[in-house]
């Protein structure tokens, strides 16, 4: 039986960069309220809001100092209630971000915890004695430097997988779990419709916190690989499910860094025992640097071969067992049209549509990140001064200044390709001052291409990327096969270096999706049913029924066959 969230499309809003309503240069809840009709027009069903809570703002709100307070930059709890009510009136649901692997170091639990070894909150976090005057193990933080910070007051180190201002909660402590579940139930009482769960795969830390594997020449060991999918992980999520999730008709998605297909079958099992779906990361790692010390910092292009193999594996292996999400973009990833497409003036629109079609015809729940529907592109960093994000800034200090394994200009060039700031430039609404994002000074510089790429221009052009996404969402709502059809590559496609072609089929319908991943004109011929209808394409004059054997640069076509009208 299909669940509502299996047919839904989610639109992700990064509140700080979406719409400012009061001229302070920072996006806010009233700004989102103003833009609800825009999201409704696109056709999305759910809005996921990145963290809107009180924060020290070291990591874009992922360092929460009070889970039940709204960030005053964004508004008040009353503003949030108004947003929820107005969204619901339009038939839009609201999903919040749950960040409970860690808190801010300014959270009252941590302020208490660090006071003394016998404080009732001491065991809310993970404290260890120094070992031979050093950190308790070799783990590096995801944001550079060691994953441990020494706290003089009590002479111990605390663990933080991310920035030192983000101490990890101790999920082995039942009081921590209860406090989190109570908080979630409080938000449920406010009427929200679900949670996206930040690094939820890393709650259960390995017994004894052993050293992690260390790449040659690296400064730190990799704790992340030991922490992902830990021993008690599924027990914690099952508890959460029993105490919270099972009581509501929510949408839930786990951000499961390090998840494998086998693990995803537990997190997102269709039996509903844990979460609805996962965000898997394998396709986001295909363009990592071959040098493990540099990790994501790279300008490598993923090959179609690797991308297709990965997406196909997830399509086929979760089918009928667990549910996946579908995404190209989020607030941590560079812009997809720059990454897997072609952001030149000539091909930006064509390639953005091709990528949209490729993803949106697969099985899973699609997520659209703000501006993706406009084909917003990566930005440019000419010096470290332009770089806002903590991950990139820390990486620069560690890799360029301390370890000296890469030059500054080279790393800045990699930031152009991969920095999280690429996703966080303000939303481009118009070609007017500050792209209509703010009447004040934007908290982060706009991408100068807002003069050409903006929502007003997209809405005025029937051939825009916006309307292409709108059509894809409509197709998902109308065609059962997109939700439940079997996924198959067409014959021999697994070896095609340039074109990705797959089918989705159920008893009644069959969909054929053709995507030219290159800027070349290619020859391909496919077996097309004579009754197949071309239902979407990105060239105005694509062949109506029989497939011509020519594929133009970034051409995509979607054909639908209604079975029962033919014998097949
Ligand atoms: O990201 C978790 C995560 O796995 C990151 O390491 C992510 O891969 C990285 O940012 C990409 O470069 C989540 C949030 O989405 C991110 O914004 C937060 O900074 C992080 O958790 C800590 O809360
Ligand atoms: Ca504001």
């Amino acid at each position: 039986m299909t669940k509502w969230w299996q047919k839904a499309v989610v639109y992700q809003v990064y509140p700080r960069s979406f719409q400012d309503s009061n001229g302070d240069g920072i996006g806010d809840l009233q700004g989102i309220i103003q833009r609800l009709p825009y999201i409704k027009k696109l056709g999305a069903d759910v809005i996921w809001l990145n963290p809107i809570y009180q924060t020290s703002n070291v990591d874009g709100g992922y360092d929460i100092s009070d889970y039940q307070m709204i960030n005053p930059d964004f508004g008040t709890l009353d503003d949030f209630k108004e947003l929820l009510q107005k969204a619901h009136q339009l038939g839009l649901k609201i999903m919040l971000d749950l960040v409970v692997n860690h808190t801010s170091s300014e959270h009252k639990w941590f302020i208490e915890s660090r006071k003394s070894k016998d404080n009732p909150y001491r065991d809310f976090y993970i404290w260890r004695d120094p070992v031979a005057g050093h950190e308790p193990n070799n783990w590096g933080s995801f944001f550079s430097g060691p994953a441990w910070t020494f706290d003089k007051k009590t002479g111990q180190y605390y663990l933080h997988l991310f920035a030192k201002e983000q101490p990890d909660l101790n999920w082995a402590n039942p009081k921590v779990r209860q406090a989190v579940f109570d908080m979630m139930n409080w938000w449920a009482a406010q009427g929200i419709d679900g949670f996206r769960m930040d690094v939820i795969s890393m709650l259960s830390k390995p017994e004894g916190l052993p050293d992690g594997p260390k790449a040659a020449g690296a400064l730190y060991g990799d704790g992340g690989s030991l922490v992902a999918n830990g021993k008690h992980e599924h027990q914690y999520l099952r508890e959460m499910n029993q105490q919270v999730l099972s009581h509501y008709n929510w949408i839930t998605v786990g951000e499961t860094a390090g998840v494998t297909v086998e693990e995803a079958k537990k997190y997102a099992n269709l039996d509903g025992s844990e979460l609805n779906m996962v965000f898997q990361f394998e396709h986001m790692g295909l363009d990592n640097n071959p040098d493990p010390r540099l990790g994501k910092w790279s300008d490598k292009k993923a090959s179609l071969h690797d991308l297709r193999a990965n997406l196909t594996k997830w399509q086929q292996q979760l089918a009928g067992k667990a549910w996946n999400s579908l995404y190209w973009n989020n607030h941590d990833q560079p812009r997809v049209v720059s990454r897997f497409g072609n952001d030149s003036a000539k091909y930006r629109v064509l390639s953005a549509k091709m990528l949209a079609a490729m993803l949106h015809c697969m099985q899973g729940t699609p997520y659209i990140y703000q501006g993706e529907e406009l084909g917003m592109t990566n930005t440019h960093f000419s010096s470290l001064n332009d770089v806002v994000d903590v991950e990139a800034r820390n990486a620069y200090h560690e890799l360029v200044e301390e370890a000296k394994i890469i030059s500054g200009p080279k790393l800045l060039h990699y930031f152009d390709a991969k920095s999280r700031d690429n996703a966080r430039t303000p939303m481009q609404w118009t070609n007017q001052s500050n792209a209509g994002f703010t009447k004040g000074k934007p908290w982060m510089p706009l991408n100068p291409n807002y003069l050409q790429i903006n929502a007003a221009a997209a809405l005025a052009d029937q051939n825009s990327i916006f309307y292409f996404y709108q059509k894809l969402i409509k197709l998902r709502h109308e065609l059962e096969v997109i939700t439940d059809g079997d996924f198959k590559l067409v014959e021999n496609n697994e070896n095609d270096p340039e074109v990705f072609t797959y089918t989705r089929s159920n008893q009644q319908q069959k969909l054929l999706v053709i995507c030219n991943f290159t800027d070349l004109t290619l020859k391909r011929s496919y077996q097309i049913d004579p009754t197949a209808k071309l239902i979407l394409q990105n060239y105005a004059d694509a062949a109506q029924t029989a497939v011509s054997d020519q594929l133009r640069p970034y051409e995509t076509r979607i054909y639908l066959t209604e079975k029962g009208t033919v014998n097949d």
Side-chain angles (χ1 to χ4, degrees):
M1 199 190 54
T2 307
K3 308 280 197 322
W4 73 265
W5 42 264
Q6 293 180 309
K7 284 195 77 114
V9 177
V10 182
Y11 188 83
Q12 181 188 352
V13 168
Y14 192 73
R16 184 165 284 271
S17 300
F18 195 57
Q19 176 68 63
D20 178 22
S21 71
N22 61 355
D24 66 357
I26 301 174
D28 46 50
L29 299 179
Q30 285 298 331
I32 302 171
I33 292 173
Q34 288 171 21
R35 296 299 185 179
L36 288 174
Y38 171 84
I39 300 171
K40 183 69 191 171
K41 179 164 185 145
L42 182 63
D45 307 281
V46 181
I47 300 171
W48 153 29
L49 299 176
N50 287 106
I52 55 168
Y53 320 97
Q54 186 180 293
T55 172
S56 328
N57 204 28
V58 168
D59 180 23
Y62 282 91
D63 45 328
I64 297 170
S65 53
D66 189 332
Y67 288 112
Q68 279 151 260
M69 282 277 290
I70 302 291
N71 178 350
D73 284 346
F74 295 169
T76 62
L77 189 59
D78 281 337
D79 292 318
F80 178 73
K81 288 183 180 163
E82 186 183 335
L83 168 60
L84 199 58
Q85 191 216 342
K86 295 205 162 135
H88 285 170
Q89 272 168 12
L90 290 171
L92 292 165
K93 295 179 189 284
I94 301 275
M95 177 189 209
L96 294 185
D97 215 308
L98 182 79
V99 188
V100 291
N101 173 69
H102 44 268
T103 67
S104 160
S105 51
E106 291 177 2
H107 193 287
K108 61 176 190 266
W109 297 340
F110 193 70
I111 293 174
E112 285 300 314
S113 185
R114 75 197 309 181
K115 280 183 180 163
S116 68
K117 286 186 177 172
D118 57 8
N119 186 284
Y121 287 92
R122 185 69 172 180
D123 289 339
F124 265 51
Y125 296 86
I126 300 170
W127 294 94
R128 291 290 183 279
D129 286 327
V131 173
H134 288 284
E135 286 81 12
N137 67 24
N138 72 353
W139 296 1
S141 139
F142 288 113
F143 292 160
S144 306
W148 297 93
T149 290
F150 187 69
D151 208 39
K152 273 205 197 103
K153 179 113 202 261
T154 53
Q156 286 192 314
Y157 284 90
Y158 65 87
L159 178 71
H160 53 88
L161 293 178
F162 294 90
K164 64 180 190 314
E165 296 86 355
Q166 294 169 296
D168 278 54
L169 283 164
N170 176 19
W171 272 72
N173 180 352
K175 286 188 185 142
V176 166
R177 307 204 292 271
Q178 199 53 55
V180 169
F181 301 157
D182 289 348
M183 175 271 283
M184 294 174 77
N185 280 318
W186 183 86
W187 279 107
Q190 311 306 310
I192 66 162
D193 304 294
F195 276 117
R196 173 267 187 189
M197 304 186 183
D198 193 61
V199 281
I200 206 71
S201 53
M202 301 210 166
L203 302 180
S204 171
K205 314 302 195 250
E207 209 97 19
L209 305 178
D211 279 351
K214 202 166 147 186
L219 295 179
Y220 301 98
D222 173 16
S225 60
L226 302 182
V227 169
N229 316 309
K231 187 165 167 209
H232 302 289
E233 178 66 37
H234 298 286
Q235 173 210 324
Y236 298 156
L237 288 180
R238 279 161 188 261
E239 257 180 52
M240 179 193 283
N241 185 289
Q242 281 151 23
Q243 293 213 31
V244 187
L245 310 179
S246 59
H247 301 289
Y248 314 108
N249 188 18
W250 274 358
I251 177 170
T252 56
V253 53
E255 192 213 24
T256 44
V259 74
T260 57
V261 164
E262 283 316 307
E263 281 294 322
K265 288 181 195 164
K266 302 180 202 158
Y267 287 111
N269 198 292
L270 292 172
D271 70 6
S273 53
E274 295 186 22
L275 308 177
N276 294 161
M277 65 192 98
V278 293
F279 286 130
Q280 66 91 9
F281 279 90
E282 289 178 348
H283 65 310
M284 295 283 110
L286 297 175
D287 49 10
N288 277 358
N289 202 303
D291 180 344
R293 298 171 307 169
L294 292 173
K296 70 184 264 187
W297 305 117
S298 161
D299 61 358
K300 182 181 151 183
K301 289 280 166 197
S303 71
L304 176 62
H305 187 272
D306 291 352
L307 187 62
R308 175 182 43 223
N310 188 262
L311 296 175
T312 300
K313 173 180 91 176
W314 282 89
Q315 287 293 298
Q316 293 183 332
Q317 297 189 17
L318 290 198
K321 303 196 173 84
W323 196 251
N324 207 352
S325 63
L326 303 168
Y327 73 97
W328 287 136
N329 267 116
N330 62 42
H331 62 293
D332 293 333
Q333 300 296 334
R335 294 283 178 178
V336 68
V337 69
S338 302
R339 186 183 197 173
F340 296 144
N342 183 329
D343 63 10
S344 70
K346 193 165 176 198
Y347 291 130
R348 185 183 64 87
V349 172
L350 284 167
S351 66
K353 290 177 181 174
M354 179 276 292
L355 290 166
M358 186 190 288
L359 193 78
H360 280 252
C361 292
M362 291 191 186
Q363 183 166 60
T365 299
Y367 288 69
I368 301 168
Y369 179 70
Q370 65 183 45
E372 179 181 339
E373 76 284 7
L374 305 175
M376 275 178 66
T377 69
N378 282 353
T379 189
H380 171 63
F381 305 91
S382 41
S383 81
L384 188 59
N385 287 333
D386 296 347
V387 177
V388 178
D389 181 38
V390 61
E391 178 190 44
R393 295 191 67 87
N394 289 358
Y396 193 96
H397 291 305
E398 182 168 305
L399 302 171
V400 176
E401 291 162 4
E402 279 179 52
K404 300 192 170 55
I405 56 181
I406 184 172
S407 75
K410 183 100 202 211
L411 188 57
L412 283 170
H413 165 71
Y414 289 164
F415 288 171
D416 282 354
K418 296 298 262 314
S419 165
R420 306 196 299 180
D421 286 336
N422 284 305
R424 301 176 185 184
T425 59
M427 178 72 173
Q428 295 167 199
W429 294 106
T430 68
N431 63 2
Q432 305 294 295
S433 139
N434 293 320
F437 164 69
T438 179
K439 294 203 164 67
K441 183 177 181 304
W443 75 276
M444 182 178 181
L446 285 132
N447 189 321
N449 66 18
Y450 73 85
L451 293 171
Q452 294 82 43
I453 304 172
N454 60 69
L459 290 173
D461 172 7
Q462 280 310 313
N463 289 319
S464 67
I465 303 167
F466 179 94
Y467 291 117
F468 196 85
Y469 271 87
Q470 187 190 55
K471 285 179 193 137
L472 285 168
I473 296 172
K474 198 159 170 272
L475 285 181
R476 175 167 295 261
H477 290 155
E478 288 171 1
L479 300 179
E480 240 16 85
V481 70
I482 299 184
T483 307
D484 68 12
D486 285 337
F487 175 97
K488 239 198 203 132
L489 289 179
V490 305
E491 213 178 334
N492 297 326
N493 185 249
E494 66 269 23
N495 298 317
D496 189 326
E498 294 154 327
V499 185
F500 187 177
T501 308
Y502 63 85
T503 59
R504 302 287 313 282
S505 28
N506 65 15
Q507 299 278 307
Q508 293 78 34
Q509 298 165 325
K510 181 170 177 184
L511 215 56
L512 171 69
V513 183
I514 304 173
C515 302
N516 179 354
F517 200 70
T518 74
D519 60 0
L520 307 170
T521 299
L522 304 169
K523 279 209 181 317
R524 295 289 185 283
S525 54
Y526 297 104
Q527 290 281 317
I528 289 276
D529 191 279
T531 64
K533 277 207 191 95
L534 181 62
I535 56 171
L536 195 60
Q537 76 271 359
N538 60 349
Y539 280 85
D541 57 346
Q544 275 305 312
T545 47
V547 175
S548 87
D549 64 356
Q550 215 185 61
L551 284 177
R552 287 163 286 185
Y554 300 106
E555 182 158 3
T556 186
R557 300 187 212 144
I558 304 172
Y559 291 88
L560 172 69
T561 308
E562 295 282 358
K563 298 182 190 170
T565 61
V566 288
N567 314 315
D568 73 346

